[in-house]
Amino acid sequence: QVQLVESGGGLVQAGGSLRLSCAASGRTFSGYAMGWFRQAPGKEREFVAVISGGDTSIYYTYYSGSVKGRFTISRDNLKNTVYLEMNSLKPEDTAIYYCAARTVPLTSTSGSTYAYWGQGTQVTVSS
């Protein structure tokens, strides 16, 4: 069983930055692909970013078109933590952000392929 705990959300003005963290329990964290998703009020959950897993120094990342160039996903396997650095934030980035883990190292943009989810952290961007 893997537990995921997000932190770092908050209120920020448009153009500002936030860094989300997701701390994971479990000894096999390094082997999991890790993703970030978000859900805005009245909208469906959407993919944000993913980073591959594995015992390697090279990780593959993939971003949704709406955040590419502004957000950066990274991981620290020694700390069992994945990060989402968010820059140039826009009001439309306002949502609850969820961290999720697959049980394989390959990336996926489909939430249904993720086995574990955190409780979410609220990000609010004011105009």
Side-chain angles (χ1 to χ4, degrees):
Q1 191 74 1
V2 175
Q3 291 186 327
L4 305 174
V5 179
E6 302 97 333
S7 62
L11 174 64
V12 64
Q13 288 188 333
S17 300
L18 282 174
R19 187 175 82 156
L20 305 183
S21 299
C22 173
S25 64
R27 294 175 293 177
T28 55
F29 171 80
S30 63
Y32 296 162
M34 300 295 296
W36 286 96
F37 293 78
R38 67 186 182 186
Q39 187 167 20
K43 295 187 177 181
E44 293 186 352
R45 182 181 63 196
E46 66 172 352
F47 164 79
V48 175
V50 61
I51 186 167
S52 61
D55 292 327
T56 175
S57 60
I58 300 175
Y59 297 101
Y60 296 96
T61 59
Y62 185 76
Y63 301 90
S64 71
S66 61
V67 308
K68 191 174 182 179
R70 300 188 297 123
F71 290 12
T72 302
I73 188 170
S74 62
R75 65 189 300 158
D76 185 338
N77 289 340
L78 293 179
K79 296 182 178 180
N80 276 15
T81 301
V82 63
Y83 304 97
L84 186 68
E85 184 76 34
M86 305 186 295
N87 298 314
S88 302
L89 282 161
K90 305 174 182 179
E92 50 264 43
D93 293 318
T94 295
I96 299 174
Y97 283 71
Y98 297 92
C99 170
R102 305 191 77 207
T103 56
V104 295
L106 299 177
T107 61
S108 172
T109 62
S110 173
S112 63
T113 67
Y114 287 75
Y116 303 103
W117 292 82
Q119 82 289 349
T121 185
Q122 177 71 48
V123 172
T124 303
V125 184
S126 62
S127 57

